[in-house]
């Protein structure tokens, strides 16, 4: 087949394109998120003191951080799904790191030093480490499936970003269950949980997202 | 020469199938360049070249082969043969004979829409064959 002949076939193929990466990723995230939401209500559920918790700044800040993580991870995932290499992917995470630093600084300033340890260890760390990855699995699979139609410059990095986006989804759900609202707990254990999912995404992306 | 034509064809196919990965707020050229580069490196790796060949500096000066010399890629012919019968006939009728989707539909007793769906599947299958079946 000559190249011009191939071109004739490409021109004749007018299969619906124009589905932007934003839309594709949103659909995947929504599908995976709904599955995890079902899993969340079937297993953990919202904390029973939800009404009281929402009036505290620590809980509210936790939710704000989760929403910011979702936004940041989505933008990163979309940028890394494209073939043009992203120069400084780490930059996308700066707003999230800044919020985490500020939250930790406030917490350290307002609570007595002898309670730091207690707040850091919390009561749910092991549940956090299992629940967040578990709630991230469906979103991870869905986002990776959607990224297969993209053309990531680095499949491994795109997979890691998919892991971060999935972890942000799982962590957002888990945040409504967990009683540990201290920024010391959230920054430590949520990050560790996310790291597990990011590692899975990285390994899966390397295999699944090659093109 | 055959090699370069294969790479060009695979890159064109991928540009077509993955066109949604272009961010339409960004210039098109870096995107085209990135895909071509990705496919070239991919190809060299499969052939066992570990060194990085930087063609960027020469991109403007490298001569394109004269139009008359453009060969028929042997690999592409083999790849076409690996498609299911109906898909192969559709691709051949459109690309080699230059028929329209509607004419092909008339010939094969399919609707124009069905021809287009089959064509799209065939192109995706071709891209997969390019990726896997080459040495």
């Amino acid at each position: 087949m000559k190249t011009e002949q191939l071109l004739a076939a490409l021109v004749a193929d007018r299969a619906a394109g124009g589905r932007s990466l934003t839309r594709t990723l949103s659909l995947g995230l929504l599908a995976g998120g709904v599955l995890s939401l079902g899993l969340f209500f079937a297993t953990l559920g919202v904390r029973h003191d939800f009404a009281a918790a929402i009036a505290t700044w620590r809980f509210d800040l936790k939710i704000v951080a989760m929403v910011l993580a979702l936004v940041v991870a989505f933008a990163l995932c979309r940028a890394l799904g494209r073939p043009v290499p992203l120069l400084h992917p780490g930059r996308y995470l700066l707003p999230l790191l800044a919020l985490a630093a500020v939250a930790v600084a406030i917490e350290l300033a307002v609570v007595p030093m002898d309670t730091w340890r207690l707040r850091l260890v919390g009561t749910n760390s092991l549940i956090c480490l299992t629940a967040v990855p578990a709630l991230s699995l469906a979103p991870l699979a869905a986002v990776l499936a959607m990224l297969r139609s993209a053309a990531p410059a680095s499949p491994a990095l795109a997979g890691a970003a998919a892991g971060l986006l999935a972890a942000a989804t799982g962590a957002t759900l888990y945040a409504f269950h967990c009683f540990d609202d201290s920024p010391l707990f959230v920054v430590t254990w949520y990050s560790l949980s996310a790291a597990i999912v990011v590692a899975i995404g990285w390994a899966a992306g390397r295999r699944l997202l090659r093109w | 020469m055959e090699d370069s034509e294969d790479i060009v064809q695979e890159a064109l196919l991928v540009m077509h199938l993955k066109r949604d990965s272009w961010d339409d707020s960004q210039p098109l050229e870096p995107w085209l360049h990135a895909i071509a580069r990705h496919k070239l490196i991919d190809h060299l790796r499969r052939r066992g070249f570990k060194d990085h060949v930087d063609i960027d500096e020469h991109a403007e000066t490298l001569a394109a082969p004269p139009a008359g010399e453009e060969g028929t890629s042997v690999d592409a012919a083999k790849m076409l043969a690996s498609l299911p019968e109906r898909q192969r006939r559709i691709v051949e009728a459109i690309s080699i004979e230059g028929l329209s989707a509607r004419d092909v539909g008339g010939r094969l007793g399919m609707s124009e829409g069905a021809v287009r769906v089959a064509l799209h599947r065939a192109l995706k299958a071709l891209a997969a064959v390019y990726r896997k079946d080459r040495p």
Side-chain angles (χ1 to χ4, degrees):
Chain A
M1 188 165 46
K2 292 185 180 175
T3 299
E4 359 175 316
Q5 294 171 337
L6 174 70
L7 285 177
L10 300 185
V11 171
D13 175 32
R14 285 176 226 147
R19 228 171 281 145
S20 71
L21 197 49
T22 306
R23 205 176 137 215
T24 313
L25 279 179
S26 307
L27 286 177
L29 189 60
L30 193 68
V34 166
L35 280 177
S36 282
L37 189 67
L39 180 64
F40 173 74
F41 280 116
T43 55
L44 300 172
V46 175
R47 59 199 277 180
H48 54 73
D49 65 343
F50 177 65
I54 209 163
T56 66
W57 68 267
R58 286 191 181 87
F59 179 80
D60 295 344
L61 188 60
K62 178 166 85 166
I63 299 304
V64 168
M66 293 306 118
V67 172
L68 181 65
L70 276 172
V71 171
V72 159
F74 189 90
L76 189 60
C77 204
R78 185 177 52 188
L80 286 172
R82 303 194 191 282
V84 182
L86 194 60
L87 281 185
H88 301 287
R91 253 188 217 170
Y92 279 73
L93 301 178
L94 286 182
L96 194 58
L97 296 178
L99 180 66
V102 170
V104 167
I106 294 176
E107 180 76 337
L108 292 182
V110 299
V111 303
M113 200 183 287
D114 53 3
T115 68
W116 285 3
R117 198 181 148 79
L118 189 69
R119 286 165 181 274
L120 173 71
V121 175
T123 50
N124 284 318
S125 54
L126 282 182
I127 301 174
C128 178
L129 281 179
T130 26
V132 171
L135 291 170
S136 307
L137 285 182
L140 179 60
V143 171
L144 282 174
M146 289 301 161
L147 275 177
R148 276 174 66 84
S149 72
S154 160
L157 273 184
L164 188 66
L165 181 54
T169 312
T172 302
L173 289 172
Y174 179 70
F176 284 93
H177 169 78
C178 183
F179 291 107
D180 292 303
D181 296 332
S182 167
L184 299 183
F185 181 91
V186 174
V187 167
T188 309
W189 298 103
Y190 283 45
S191 307
L192 276 175
S193 312
I196 297 172
V197 187
V198 168
I200 297 173
W202 183 84
R206 239 167 52 130
R207 286 152 194 272
L208 299 176
L209 299 181
R210 295 225 302 248
W211 52 281
Chain B
M1 238 26 222
E2 249 172 40
D3 252 16
S4 62
E5 183 149 4
D6 282 340
I7 302 171
V8 168
Q9 291 190 356
E10 189 187 357
L12 288 170
L13 198 50
V14 169
M15 284 164 189
H16 173 73
L17 291 172
K18 294 195 175 284
R19 58 198 185 279
D20 289 342
S21 70
W22 172 50
D23 177 356
D24 57 13
S25 69
Q26 297 294 315
L28 183 61
E29 210 187 312
W31 179 83
L32 293 170
H33 197 107
I35 290 190
R37 186 191 185 82
H38 186 95
K39 282 289 128 193
L40 174 63
I41 291 172
D42 193 33
H43 184 86
L44 291 178
R45 268 199 200 127
R46 267 178 306 192
R47 292 272 157 132
F49 288 77
K50 298 289 179 202
D51 292 338
H52 172 64
V53 182
D54 199 344
I55 59 159
D56 286 2
E57 285 173 38
H58 312 291
E60 304 301 323
T61 50
L62 278 178
E69 267 180 43
E70 189 185 50
T72 299
S73 154
V74 181
D75 278 3
K78 263 191 244 153
M79 283 169 205
L80 267 187
S82 73
L83 291 178
E85 172 70 14
R86 182 182 283 229
Q87 288 185 5
R88 183 181 58 75
R89 284 176 65 184
I90 289 173
V91 173
E92 282 178 353
I94 288 177
S95 62
I96 298 172
E97 296 176 51
L99 295 183
S100 71
R102 184 185 296 178
D103 295 341
V104 179
R107 182 195 284 185
L108 298 179
M110 300 165 70
S111 73
E112 187 182 339
V115 170
R116 291 196 189 283
V117 170
L119 174 65
H120 187 67
R121 286 204 187 123
L123 292 176
K124 278 178 123 167
L126 265 186
V129 174
Y130 263 110
R131 267 191 55 69
K132 281 172 199 144
D133 280 4
R134 265 208 313 239

